[in-house]
Amino acid sequence: MKSHAKVVVVGGGVVGASVLYHLTKAGWKDVLLIERAELTSGSTWHAAGGMHTVNGDPNVAKLQQYTIKLYEEIERISGQSCGVHITGGIMLAGTPERVDWLKMAKARGRYLGMDLELISVDEAARLFPLMDKKHFLGAMYDPIEGHVDPYGVTHAYAKSAQIGGAEIVRQTRVTDLKPRPDGSWDVITDHGNVHAEHVVNAAGLWAREVGRMVGLELPVLAMEHQYLITGDMPELVGKKEQMHCIDFEGEIYIRQERGGMLMGTYERAGVPWSESTTPWDFGQDLLPNDLERIAPSLELGFAHFPAVGDAGIKKVVNGPFTFAPDGNPLIGPVKGLKNFWVACGVMAGFSQGGGVGLSLAHWMVDGDPGADVWAMDVARYGDWTTLAYTNAKVRENYSRRFSIRFPNEELPAARPLRTTPIYEKLQAEHAVFGDYCGFEHPLWFAPTGPEAVDEVSWRRSNAHPHIGAECAAVHRGVGMLEISNYGKFDIRGPAAASWLSHVMANRVPNVGRIALTPMLNDRGKLIGDFTICRVSTEHFFLVGTYAAEQFYLRWFERSLPPTGVTVRPCAVDTVGLSIAGPQSRALLQTLVRDDLSTSAFPFMSFRRMSVGMVPAYVGRVSFTGELGYEIWVTTDYQRALYDLLTKAGREFGLKSFGGRALNSLRIEKGFGTWAREYRPIYGPYEAGLGRFVDLKKEDFIGRSAALDEKGGGGKLRLLTFKVDAVDADAMGDEPIWHDGKTVGWVTSGAYGFRAGASIALGYVPRELADADSGFEIEIIGERRRAVRQTGAPIDPQGLLMRT
Ligand SMILES: Cc1cc2nc3c(=O)[nH]c(=O)nc-3n(C[C@H](O)[C@H](O)[C@H](O)COP(=O)(O)OP(=O)(O)OC[C@H]3O[C@@H](n4cnc5c(N)ncnc54)[C@H](O)[C@@H]3O)c2cc1C
């Protein structure tokens, strides 16, 4: 084994092999993969090898498309067959809700260039004769589905990488990783050491153990997974290969395997494997079968596909593979660990392995993944994802693999975990809570206890009128919202202002003022949107998205000077309440001595104030479009603040509102938000944030790309639409049509109670941004007329929040 390499990839499963290949493809030749045993010796070797393009996140779906196309390339380069069988696939729906889900999946596929087709049960039975039609209501056909040979794919990646200059060392275990002061690593193995500039943890089933070598507790857990292979079936003799099939209600996937069928299930009573440590002596082993555990699914499967039940079971495979709490991979660099990368938690290696390898290699070589990989970014998790949290969420996710997740559905596992001091007070107000990074936050308020539960639906739910009442209170009187789940940073030091000016695209505000600003990457794309509040010359309070806290900190690390600035995340110790509505000033004025009139405390002001006896920061900002204030306090004061506001608020008819009302109110104002309107695939001018980019500043990250975007106009435009919706509003990812063609996609949607209309935000090509008519938005399979708005549907001049 050589003693030095630019990169050491730990692990030779399908993911490590793909990362290695993509590194050579991106031009890094001095790369070494170290494998404990033989290639595929983790979960890869016994995988069922199924692959498909459909994914809940469109950006992940694109990377799945890439993976499937890649097999041709690595077969060509390596001469190694991947055993690709593109059989096509059908997804079967057994309930009306699932039929709606299929309609939406098909609609989303339109702008991803996927050729999905909704078909009748009769057509489905023609394509997949083993099914018993009586259990189903509809189906969807996808021509790009099938299966591969896991061994062949891994070796094709590996050989292609070796042809590109990579080395692979087998039968060698990485036992420790030691950082050097310059950011490089000593990779300690049982066969000698390697000095590497970068290390990639692609250790699959042992990703946790390799993470622990560097002090990381990665949120991954292996689950046992079983599939069976039947004996040869006469029904298959002389026929074309059966296609891949997913039976959602049966929670079953099924495909042909030689002369029989392979049937697997994600059972409700899923069992984790090696909950805290993975034994090093586990190799190409299988776990004991437990057909009892999957009996309920098999019973359904045999009823839905009777010939399969009659064929008899020839073989059962029970093997472990890893999941992150949300089922998506964990990739990227890790905050605080220089040149340490992860590519693990990949539960669908044969659909996602190529995309994971591509993005990670780009990230390492170019400093940017080259695609929107937020859904897979390891930085989406933080300290709350302990071993036990991960265990609860992974079990839940596994058991729901084939379940519908409705847009208003909150999942129960690992809750409540993180609560603010006013949690019980909000409970007493019949708050219906949502889970956000483990935090409980109110979504809406029911009038009475028993009603305080969401009836899950694709359509407007039981919460609709109550959300409407909350919006009305904000519009006509005053509402109060808990805003503790925002991300917050305390930034101080003599170099704080100049550093912020370099990292953020807008100018840094004066003392006592607030500025909204996008944060751009080197390519000038949006990687954050912040509110910068200036407390004093050298002290700032930054508000952003809590889910992206680790992502931001990792980004900040790149540019923080060694001295002169400290950045302290303070989301947990600084909590808040916001009041909004025309009466909000009068209410707050009863509690503070400061003059809140617009002349004394205008829009975008920020000041330390005593609210009653509570020391607070008060900012006059608005995400609702109404006059409003954000009040930030340390956690110990939140109950007192709540009590003060609720008591004083009685006179003004104060009403609590939740995240659902806020969403409706911000959408009516055309205000975007991170991960919906603002993502690294959009530029600031495309997203309508150009006015917050201060090109007069000589030096900020992304400036030259932003200048180019402004000059060229960008490719897309974020538009606001009023939609002729009936009982279901857009929610995001619906296609936008223009003159009969799919031209864009929705990023957010909601019913706008002030506007009395259904509203959607979405991107279309710039050339269509001024089109007066011809737009439609497809909601649950129906194309609804959408009217482009020239300004926000509510108060386009923004006078309400300014006066
Ligand atoms: C029963 C079953 C059915 C499945 N069906 C499908 C399917 O149909 N479609 C699909 O896409 N996916 C399927 N999967 C999932 C798929 O197997 C995984 O997504 C994939 O194998 C993950 O690959 P990996 O490279 O991340 O991990 P692994 O395959 O676990 O590879 C990790 C490798 O790292 C090595 N390693 C670990 N630690 C060290 C160390 N310290 N030093 C050196 N080497 C080390 C290990 O020996 C191992 O070879 C299935 C899994 C199972 C168990």
Side-chain angles (χ1 to χ4, degrees), residues 674-709:
W674 170 249
R676 303 298 327 176
E677 287 71 33
Y678 308 146
R679 296 189 71 121
I681 43 177
Y682 309 122
Y685 296 93
E686 293 178 329
L689 295 177
R691 66 191 185 285
F692 301 117
V693 177
D694 182 11
L695 289 168
K696 290 199 282 304
K697 287 197 306 183
E698 299 263 304
D699 160 47
F700 64 89
I701 298 171
R703 182 179 183 277
S704 75
L707 200 62
D708 287 350
E709 191 198 329

Side-chain angles (χ1 to χ4, degrees), residues 55-113:
N55 186 285
D57 183 294
N59 296 291
V60 178
K62 277 186 218 159
L63 291 171
Q64 295 190 181
Q65 285 176 313
Y66 166 81
T67 301
I68 293 173
K69 284 205 189 104
L70 189 66
Y71 294 133
E72 217 175 75
E73 175 179 313
I74 56 174
E75 279 187 338
R76 188 170 20 84
I77 296 173
S78 66
Q80 161 76 51
S81 164
C82 292
V84 180
H85 292 237
I86 301 282
T87 56
I90 53 171
M91 295 183 168
L92 298 172
T95 63
E97 291 76 18
R98 180 58 72 179
V99 173
D100 285 346
W101 185 91
L102 290 181
K103 287 179 189 164
M104 285 182 273
K106 176 186 163 50
R108 180 181 301 168
R110 287 186 205 283
Y111 68 77
L112 291 171

Side-chain angles (χ1 to χ4, degrees), residues 11 13-15 35-36 41 43-44 46 48-50 174 204-205 321 346 348-350:
V14 65
V15 173
E35 165 56 47
R36 187 184 65 100
S41 294
S43 43
T44 298
H46 50 237
V174 172
L205 285 179
F321 64 118
V346 183
F350 302 96

Side-chain angles (χ1 to χ4, degrees), residues 10-16 34-38 40-44 46-50 172-174 202-206 210 213 225 227 253 280 317 319-321 346-351:
V10 185
V14 65
V15 173
I34 302 180
E35 165 56 47
R36 187 184 65 100
E38 293 300 323
T40 76
S41 294
S43 43
T44 298
H46 50 237
T172 300
R173 175 151 77 89
V174 172
L205 285 179
W206 293 267
V210 173
M213 292 175 192
H225 181 70
Y227 62 80
Y253 63 88
W280 287 110
V317 171
F321 64 118
V346 183
M347 61 80 51
F350 302 96
S351 302

